[in-house]
Amino acid sequence: MRLVWWLATVLTISFISIALSEQGTLSPLRNLALTANAPVELGLRDIASPVSNIFGGITDRGEISEENRRLREELEALRAQLAEQQDAAQRIKELEDALGVKQSRPEDLLKAANVIAEDTAGFKRLIAIDVGQDDGLDEGMVVLSRNGSLVGTISLIYADFAWVRLITDPDSTVNAQVNVTVQSQGSDVVTPPTPTPDVASSPTPAPTPQPTLAPTEPVRAVAKGDLRRRILLDLLPSDAIVARGDLAVTSGHGGNYPRGLLIGTIEDVDDRPQAPFKTATIEPAVDLFGLDTVLVLLSLKPARLTSP
């Protein structure tokens, strides 16, 4: 019975409160309560604000980390694309150079190859290329740079790749010649014209003869690799006129190399008095350990000279 009276009282008070609220009678009391509670509410809000900022910062930091990760992935993809484009441009340039060599040597059959490895262990100077016996290669074939300079010869061959012995290898020997040029002073003298009597002028001075480059007979020698990654030019005649800057090329003797392939430039000459021969150092025409593309000369079958 007591519970029934309590429920009835609560319902009556609720109905009266709703009626008074609808009529606006309780508005002053509600405004007073809000005014009284405002400082407490502001204090609680100030206390809770750092905690809210911490949780908000954690949420924002997660979003920032995710954005940074996405941006790093996009940057990596763009850099990879740029590297691929640069590599493609470099490859096109190399193939264009190789095509230029092919056009300059229409009688030769050339096979382009990529350098895939280098072997500098010990005293050997070798590079590996991605073509082999299945592509028509054979041991002893001549290998050129993409600009047509001498690189070396095929020393070991497999089905789909081969090793190239560079011309700086101690076992490399090439019959060479030096195309020497000397300066000759012109001896022709031009007689100045005789001035006419009516014109007062000084006679025209004779032009000074200019020195010209006169080719001489090529100097034969042997280009050999040494242990210091150089090329030595040996067996130069003692009376040969060889100077720094002269070009050393293949002589074609022996049948293992075509004539006229550029080996390099004379860097230094060792001229010893009373010695039967001179020696010289050759700077290779190409950076032998910076090669990407080479050309194999398929049309020349090297002569394998053997002792009788």
Side-chain angles (χ1 to χ4, degrees), residues 48-61:
S49 179
V51 178
S52 176
N53 291 337
I54 291 174
F55 284 103
I58 293 174
T59 303
D60 293 342
R61 186 175 302 170

Side-chain angles (χ1 to χ4, degrees), residues 122-186:
F123 301 120
K124 296 299 181 182
R125 307 288 180 263
L126 303 171
I127 60 173
I129 56 178
D130 62 352
V131 293
Q133 198 166 14
D134 293 345
D135 301 286
L137 272 64
D138 198 358
E139 289 187 10
M141 284 186 169
V142 177
V143 179
L144 310 177
S145 73
R146 64 174 188 259
N147 291 315
S149 301
L150 182 62
V151 169
T153 54
I154 303 294
S155 61
L156 191 60
I157 190 168
Y158 298 90
D160 55 355
F161 76 99
W163 285 98
V164 178
R165 177 183 291 117
L166 301 177
I167 52 177
T168 51
D169 187 277
D171 293 333
S172 173
T173 302
V174 182
N175 288 323
Q177 67 183 34
V178 181
N179 295 330
V180 180
T181 55
V182 296
Q183 286 190 347
S184 61
Q185 187 72 28

Side-chain angles (χ1 to χ4, degrees), residues 74-88:
E74 291 180 358
L75 180 60
E76 180 184 359
L78 291 174
R79 285 176 173 172
Q81 183 179 0
L82 177 61
E84 184 178 354
Q85 291 175 351
Q86 290 176 342
D87 182 70

Side-chain angles (χ1 to χ4, degrees), residues 5 76 80 89 115 141 146 169 187 210 215 230 243 250 297:
W5 280 106
E76 180 184 359
V115 177
M141 284 186 169
R146 64 174 188 259
D169 187 277
S187 58
Q210 298 296 323
R230 301 180 306 171
T250 55
L297 186 57

Side-chain angles (χ1 to χ4, degrees), residues 100-261:
V101 174
K102 287 185 177 182
Q103 291 175 344
S104 65
R105 305 180 68 93
E107 71 283 0
D108 292 329
L109 180 60
L110 299 169
K111 176 70 176 179
N114 296 313
V115 177
I116 57 176
E118 298 176 355
D119 183 7
T120 58
F123 301 120
K124 296 299 181 182
R125 307 288 180 263
L126 303 171
I127 60 173
I129 56 178
D130 62 352
V131 293
Q133 198 166 14
D134 293 345
D135 301 286
L137 272 64
D138 198 358
E139 289 187 10
M141 284 186 169
V142 177
V143 179
L144 310 177
S145 73
R146 64 174 188 259
N147 291 315
S149 301
L150 182 62
V151 169
T153 54
I154 303 294
S155 61
L156 191 60
I157 190 168
Y158 298 90
D160 55 355
F161 76 99
W163 285 98
V164 178
R165 177 183 291 117
L166 301 177
I167 52 177
T168 51
D169 187 277
D171 293 333
S172 173
T173 302
V174 182
N175 288 323
Q177 67 183 34
V178 181
N179 295 330
V180 180
T181 55
V182 296
Q183 286 190 347
S184 61
Q185 187 72 28
S187 58
D188 294 339
V189 178
V190 179
T191 305
T194 304
T196 60
D198 319 356
V199 180
S201 61
S202 301
T204 304
T208 303
Q210 298 296 323
T212 58
L213 293 178
T216 65
E217 289 295 324
V219 179
R220 310 291 185 187
V222 176
K224 302 185 298 184
D226 73 349
L227 299 179
R228 292 185 287 179
R229 300 189 180 186
R230 301 180 306 171
I231 305 175
L232 295 180
L233 195 61
D234 201 5
L235 302 179
L236 281 166
S238 59
D239 58 348
I241 303 175
V242 177
R244 183 175 182 177
D246 289 338
L247 300 179
V249 300
T250 55
S251 66
H253 288 187
N256 292 315
Y257 298 89
R259 181 173 179 174
L261 296 179

